[in-house]
Amino acid sequence: MKIPRLLLFVIIVAVVYGIFKAPGFFLKQPIPSSLILMYMFFVVITVLLWMTSTEEGMQGLVGPIKALIEDPGKKRLRNIVFVIVPLVAGFITYQQIKPSYEAPVELRSIHPAPPASIKVFNKTFSLQTLENPYRKLEKEDPAKFTQLVKEGGEVYFKNCFYCHGDKLNGRGHYAHGFNPLPLNFTDIGTIAQLQESFLFWRISTGGPGLPKEAAPWISSMPIWGNFLTEDDVWKVILFLYNYTGYVPRSWEK
Amino acid sequence: MRLFSVVNREIPIAKRRSLTALFLLFFLFALPVVKSADFFPAGIDTVYASEDAAKPATPAGEGEVKAAQPEEKKKEYPPAPQLKESDYPQVKYINGRIMTWMVAQLHLWFAAFVLAVPIFVFIIEAIGMATKDKRYDKLAYEFIKVSLTAYSITAVFGGLLLFTLVVFYPDFMKYMANIFSPTFLAYALIFFAESACLYIYYYGWHAMETGFSKWAHLTVGWMLNVVGTMLMFFANAWVTFMMSPHGVDANGVFEGNLWAAIHNHLWNPINLHRVIANVAYGGSVVGAYAAYKFLSARTQEDRAHYDWMGYTANFIAIAALLPLPFAGYWLIAEIYAYSQQMGITAMGGVFAWLFITQAVLIGALFLSANYYLWCGMERSKGAVKYTKYIKYIAFVIVTCFLVWFTPHTLILTPGELKALGGPYHKYLGPLGIMPAKNTAVNIMLLFTFLSFMLYQRCNKIPTVSWASRGNAFQIAIFVTAIINIGILGIYYGYFTNTVYKVASSVLQVASTLSVIILCTVINIFMYKGAKEVAPLQWGKMPDRSQYALFLLAVSFTWLMGLMGYIRSALRQHWHVYTVFRDSSPDAYTPTIGYAANVVTVATILFMAFVIFIFWLSTLSGKKETAHH
């Protein structure tokens, strides 16, 4: 049996919407409503484009709507539709604008751009040219490098793991007291995309070192430059990459 | 070249080859500065390694102590001035930045259009000469006619831009003139040369229609393109110097090497990106013109002509759109390589959501271009056997499109933020970074090409004995390429370091381009001497398809405005990044909404001018009809 075009359109849109809602129901990882709105907009557009790309398809889609409006024999159905459609539209509008106690959506960038240079440990560092002084030992002296990674691990477990967790996934003991949660270093979108100088900046200057743009920030990261040495910071960076298996962004092989 | 085989199947292969060679020769001439080494990340560290010592203008901190300069150098070239708010003239009721922004944007749009049109007019005229088909000549003439009025408006906005810069930013202009004054003079002279070439090319079209004079006319077209491209390269040198200054020290003191200032880190990426983008843009605007004429046509003959014109323009726009994402990716990779701050500001920081807007608009471009091709199948009676595939193509394109614009940092309600435990989604997060985007866009390009292939086939039946094997081979090429793109995107994108990630994107592009080239070559041989199902019915297009062409032009315009804003705003509070600070009252980064509003108003203004130009061409059309 051939499904009428208009019905097919409704079925496709409903099924796709269900697919987008599924991760929220089954995996506890809801796709944000803002994104579902964008997804659905383009799904609807694409289905319409496909269906109207031929004259036959266009008639199949528009024909029933045209008949509903123009055909005198469909007067009763028309009246029902003309009552239901405004009611549905009104209900959706009401849902959108009704007062809510929920805090407003945050439209902010969580990914700050680093400054050109920073002053920490009584020195000025140009982040453009700054490199981890121990990185070269990975090839030149693997034994020494492993030792440094181990020392970095000690720094991590003495200072960082309370928030960032023993698996570096941002789920430390104190993590649930923060919103947003501490950064998950095992996420491919975090340290794997960054240069080591970026991490040096974020660790050394913490939340207060974040740029003025897009302030106020809600980072709880302490200024580790006040508690750790420059060497400690470089070592803990080695550890972060070594543990997660990621390689810092660089322009060299 | 496949396009032209649709409308005229009598172009001999040898001629096609010579025309292709001619086209390549043009780009070899116009782009001598784009070195192959610059395409690859390996070239980046070479630049930095070799120039670190001699490149004092690497981004420096605001508070950084600036190096002392030799006394004689200071005398010859002054350092970048340290301005105060009061150094920027204020004109009552006029905001200097908004005015400069709007005028510069309008100038750029028109300039992009008038630089692009002669490129494909030259190619179409050459094809007309090779095939001796007058329709090409007529088409080329109509294209250049549209661009002529736009040329005058470009010059007007160029002059206005100069005035606004001199009025509102006199010290900045003085500083730039100290470094670039020779190029300013050269620019003015080349502008005259371009005007001369354009007027001879346009007004001499009918007078130079036969024999040797036609060759001379084509040569003028060639020269028009060369001088036009040179003009753009000069302007590109100024804007890229502002982003990645070279040839000056940390105080902005010019070291006397003009070539170093011109050939700065971002010059070549911008040159390449703009040449390709201009062609795509020019095609889309001419497509909108054809759609306008198609919808207002009163005779079947006119509908057929403007349908063909719209098809040709759409082909040009798509052909240039195919390599454009790669040129854009190269540009942004070079920006990131030059400055981590600029790279993150663009893609992950304050402008990240403008990039999502960009992704949405690019997706809209692909959808509208595909829709136009699908509707175009109505021209052929043999299309029935292929229309069933449209839904699969649409499915793949929309899936890739959704991946393409999925953001890494999501807009979340507090409830969603709590449920996810952070701003990143466990399953969608990986789709937010570049390997997923590159994979999606390559597959989107492949399927757009597939739409085009189906469109071309729908009216033909191959007569060669190996047709089924040819088809099987083409399917194999597609499948192999998709697998290759997938492996490159997933393995090298997520499980190796960033050097391989960036390098693998080059291989992904190579896969896509290989499919396009190989399948085109196979098609040329497979459909040689093919039977026609029925003559193509030019003009038999639904009116709704023409709105896809309008959407293409508007999306391109808006896109260029928004992305142009990002490129320029990446400098933030610097006139010249890290060496010449912008101290004007407007030296702040506006919100995304504010910037989008400014660009949108500029887009509406531009479109109003374009409609005016279309209307003017209708007037001259009426005059010509009256003469006949």
Side-chain angles (χ1 to χ4, degrees):
Chain A
M1 190 191 81
K2 198 175 177 186
I3 306 169
R5 280 274 158 144
L6 189 57
L7 181 61
L8 186 63
F9 170 77
V10 175
I11 292 171
I12 291 174
V13 171
V15 168
V16 174
Y17 184 72
I19 291 171
F20 290 148
K21 286 301 238 182
F25 285 115
F26 301 113
L27 303 168
K28 302 294 175 205
Q29 283 279 306
I31 297 179
S33 49
S34 58
L35 197 55
I36 289 189
L37 187 72
M38 284 170 69
Y39 282 172
M40 287 311 298
F41 177 78
F42 284 102
V43 167
V44 169
I45 293 284
T46 309
V47 176
L48 285 176
L49 291 181
W50 156 53
M51 288 189 164
T52 62
S53 61
T54 61
E55 208 48 49
E56 188 194 348
M58 179 76 182
Q59 290 314 317
L61 190 70
V62 179
I65 300 171
K66 217 171 162 185
L68 180 77
I69 295 168
E70 294 174 356
D71 189 349
K74 296 187 188 300
K75 190 178 173 185
R76 178 170 295 178
L77 182 62
R78 178 162 60 235
N79 288 340
I80 294 169
V81 170
F82 279 14
V83 169
I84 289 175
V85 169
L87 280 178
V88 171
F91 177 75
I92 293 170
T93 310
Y94 174 72
Q95 290 297 322
Q96 295 288 322
I97 63 167
K98 72 174 180 182
S100 160
Y101 294 109
E102 200 173 23
V105 173
E106 283 199 50
L107 299 168
R108 69 208 305 278
S109 155
I110 307 285
H111 190 6
S117 66
I118 54 168
K119 280 182 182 167
V120 66
F121 304 116
N122 297 320
K123 280 195 262 180
T124 299
F125 296 90
S126 165
L127 294 187
Q128 184 62 31
T129 51
L130 186 63
E131 287 179 0
N132 191 333
Y134 299 127
R135 179 59 59 188
K136 59 185 178 214
L137 296 178
E138 195 171 8
K139 283 179 187 165
E140 292 172 5
D141 188 352
K144 172 80 176 159
F145 185 79
T146 308
Q147 177 61 28
L148 290 168
V149 169
K150 197 178 162 196
E151 287 170 26
E154 282 173 20
V155 173
Y156 180 85
F157 283 101
K158 281 179 184 167
N159 300 282
C160 318
F161 109 104
Y162 303 102
C163 299
H164 289 283
D166 54 353
K167 291 181 181 170
L168 280 66
N169 59 359
R171 305 293 168 115
H173 297 104
Y174 299 157
H176 297 287
F178 300 123
N179 188 358
L181 289 177
L183 205 61
N184 171 7
F185 300 130
T186 61
D187 183 329
I188 183 76
T190 60
I191 60 170
Q193 307 300 320
L194 298 168
Q195 291 170 226
E196 287 181 294
S197 60
F198 186 99
L199 271 71
F200 183 81
W201 162 58
R202 289 291 288 114
I203 296 168
S204 306
T205 64
L210 285 163
K212 288 176 193 163
E213 296 86 14
W217 293 95
I218 47 175
S219 169
S220 307
M221 184 88 165
I223 305 172
W224 287 106
N226 293 343
F227 307 104
L228 301 175
T229 64
E230 187 187 337
D231 261 9
D232 286 341
V233 175
W234 286 125
K235 284 178 201 168
V236 83
I237 292 171
L238 292 184
F239 170 74
L240 295 181
Y241 282 105
N242 186 270
Y243 184 94
T244 55
Y246 296 134
V247 180
R249 178 184 282 271
S250 70
W251 307 102
E252 295 169 13
K253 284 181 186 171
Chain B
M1 302 306 281
R2 296 288 300 151
L3 152 73
F4 302 105
S5 67
V6 171
V7 286
N8 191 316
R9 275 164 221 88
E10 293 165 12
I11 309 171
I13 293 290
K15 284 185 181 170
R16 286 181 192 172
R17 282 181 190 149
S18 57
L19 289 170
T20 311
L22 205 60
F23 181 63
L24 289 174
L25 197 62
F26 163 72
F27 277 98
L28 281 177
F29 186 85
L31 294 169
V33 288
V34 180
K35 293 182 292 187
S36 61
D38 288 345
F39 280 94
F40 300 100
I44 296 161
D45 53 66
T46 314
V47 170
Y48 274 92
S50 62
E51 294 177 358
D52 255 352
K55 183 176 164 287
T58 45
E62 289 168 39
E64 210 163 88
V65 179
K66 299 194 172 182
Q69 294 306 308
E71 199 56 37
E72 63 280 4
K73 195 177 278 180
K74 278 185 182 170
K75 278 178 193 161
E76 196 177 348
Y77 293 105
Q82 296 184 350
L83 303 177
K84 300 184 294 295
E85 264 195 40
S86 55
D87 293 322
Y88 293 86
Q90 300 295 316
V91 179
K92 215 173 178 182
Y93 305 122
I94 296 176
N95 179 300
R97 173 163 76 171
I98 300 276
M99 181 155 181
T100 310
W101 184 355
M102 292 275 230
V103 171
Q105 191 58 64
L106 285 162
H107 174 63
L108 184 133
W109 278 323
F110 278 110
F113 177 61
V114 298
L115 287 177
V117 172
I119 294 176
F120 49 78
V121 163
F122 169 78
I123 297 167
I124 294 170
E125 188 189 11
I127 288 165
M129 281 174 70
T131 59
K132 297 193 172 29
D133 187 334
K134 284 284 174 198
R135 285 184 307 164
Y136 289 113
D137 214 57
K138 190 183 165 198
L139 183 71
Y141 180 69
E142 197 157 0
F143 279 157
I144 201 78
K145 190 173 81 176
V146 178
S147 81
L148 198 72
T149 318
Y151 186 76
S152 314
I153 297 178
T154 312
V156 169
F157 278 114
L160 200 57
L161 176 59
L162 181 62
F163 285 132
T164 54
L165 286 169
V166 170
V167 169
F168 292 108
Y169 301 96
D171 293 295
F172 165 70
M173 286 304 284
K174 198 174 159 190
Y175 175 73
M176 291 294 277
N178 270 332
I179 298 169
F180 286 104
S181 51
T183 64
F184 289 0
L185 292 173
Y187 188 89
L189 288 175
I190 294 172
F191 179 72
F192 277 116
E194 191 194 19
S195 306
C197 288
L198 178 65
Y199 291 130
I200 294 169
Y201 194 54
Y202 175 70
Y203 290 108
W205 199 286
H206 298 304
M208 302 165 80
E209 239 173 356
T210 51
F212 176 75
S213 62
K214 188 64 179 167
W215 277 103
H217 185 257
L218 193 69
T219 309
V220 174
W222 163 274
M223 285 162 59
L224 171 63
N225 279 301
V226 170
V227 290
T229 308
M230 281 169 70
L231 268 187
M232 187 184 70
F233 284 2
F234 274 126
N236 290 351
W238 308 329
V239 295
T240 52
F241 173 82
M242 290 165 68
M243 294 176 76
S244 57
H246 197 203
V248 292
D249 68 13
N251 293 317
V253 177
F254 180 45
E255 292 170 341
N257 184 349
L258 180 62
W259 175 242
I262 291 173
H263 191 217
N264 59 71
H265 192 81
L266 297 176
W267 189 50
N268 277 337
I270 284 266
N271 285 341
L272 181 71
H273 191 264
R274 282 190 167 172
V275 168
I276 299 173
N278 285 354
V279 175
Y281 185 54
S284 76
V285 175
V286 172
Y289 169 80
Y292 172 85
K293 299 286 271 187
F294 178 91
L295 291 173
S296 55
R298 288 168 193 268
T299 64
Q300 185 51 37
E301 192 190 354
D302 276 355
R303 273 176 78 87
H305 174 70
Y306 289 112
D307 184 17
W308 182 52
M309 187 177 185
Y311 167 78
T312 310
N314 185 52
F315 172 84
I316 292 164
I318 296 177
L321 184 61
L322 294 181
L324 201 50
F326 315 131
Y329 184 67
W330 182 44
L331 172 60
I332 207 78
E334 291 293 313
I335 288 175
Y336 205 137
Y338 179 75
S339 163
Q340 182 184 208
Q341 186 185 48
M342 283 206 284
I344 292 180
T345 301
M347 301 293 286
V350 282
F351 299 126
W353 268 89
L354 272 179
F355 265 92
I356 298 297
T357 312
Q358 175 224 30
V360 167
L361 286 172
I362 290 177
L365 287 179
F366 276 106
L367 278 177
S368 53
N370 273 282
Y371 183 64
Y372 184 79
L373 287 171
W374 300 337
C375 287
M377 289 186 179
E378 295 271 301
R379 297 184 189 115
S380 163
K381 287 185 176 163
V384 186
K385 63 184 175 197
Y386 290 116
T387 49
K388 63 186 172 202
Y389 298 119
I390 291 175
K391 56 179 169 288
Y392 303 114
I393 295 176
F395 172 76
V396 173
I397 287 178
V398 77
T399 307
C400 291
F401 183 17
L402 300 191
V403 172
W404 173 243
F405 73 69
T406 297
H408 188 228
T409 305
L410 304 164
I411 295 179
L412 301 165
T413 61
E416 288 164 346
L417 187 68
K418 206 164 182 62
L420 293 176
Y424 306 116
H425 196 282
K426 194 173 174 183
Y427 304 108
L428 295 181
L431 303 183
I433 55 175
M434 281 315 290
K437 314 290 184 200
N438 283 336
T439 306
V441 81
N442 275 286
I443 294 176
M444 206 148 67
L445 288 170
L446 280 180
F447 277 79
T448 302
F449 178 67
L450 182 63
S451 284
F452 184 66
M453 272 179 65
L454 295 186
Y455 169 80
Q456 289 206 304
R457 284 166 172 232
C458 66
N459 200 44
K460 294 178 193 172
I461 301 167
T463 51
V464 292
S465 58
W466 49 275
S468 56
R469 273 171 288 154
N471 279 332
F473 188 52
Q474 285 184 325
I475 292 169
I477 291 171
F478 259 93
V479 172
T480 310
I482 289 168
I483 293 171
N484 195 34
I485 289 167
I487 291 172
L488 287 167
I490 296 167
Y491 178 70
Y492 288 98
Y494 292 93
F495 300 102
T496 57
N497 73 44
T498 46
V499 174
Y500 295 111
K501 184 184 87 175
V502 174
S504 73
S505 68
V506 177
L507 297 177
Q508 285 184 316
V509 176
S511 302
T512 304
L513 293 180
S514 302
V515 172
I516 293 172
I517 293 165
L518 282 173
C519 288
T520 304
V521 171
I522 292 170
N523 271 351
I524 288 171
F525 289 105
M526 201 159 81
Y527 284 91
K528 198 174 176 187
K531 280 194 290 187
E532 231 180 36
V533 177
L536 274 179
Q537 295 170 292
W538 289 106
K540 194 191 169 201
M541 275 288 266
D543 285 353
R544 62 181 178 278
S545 66
Q546 303 303 307
Y547 294 97
L549 293 180
F550 287 132
L551 180 66
L552 213 59
V554 175
S555 295
F556 261 122
T557 308
W558 211 17
L559 195 58
M560 284 168 71
L562 291 171
M563 292 300 100
Y565 162 69
I566 292 181
R567 186 203 53 71
S568 180
L570 281 179
R571 289 178 284 112
Q572 299 186 64
H573 50 274
W574 298 96
H575 285 309
V576 179
Y577 190 59
T578 71
V579 297
F580 184 2
R581 190 172 173 132
D582 180 355
S583 304
S584 67
D586 295 313
Y588 62 91
T589 303
T591 61
I592 291 175
Y594 179 89
N597 283 341
V598 173
V599 173
T600 305
V601 170
T603 303
I604 293 167
L605 275 176
F606 176 75
M607 283 299 153
F609 275 110
V610 166
I611 291 167
F612 173 68
I613 292 168
F614 290 175
W615 176 72
L616 278 183
S617 72
T618 312
L619 286 185
S620 70
K622 280 178 187 166
K623 195 178 162 192
E624 277 169 24
T625 313
H627 275 298
H628 283 298

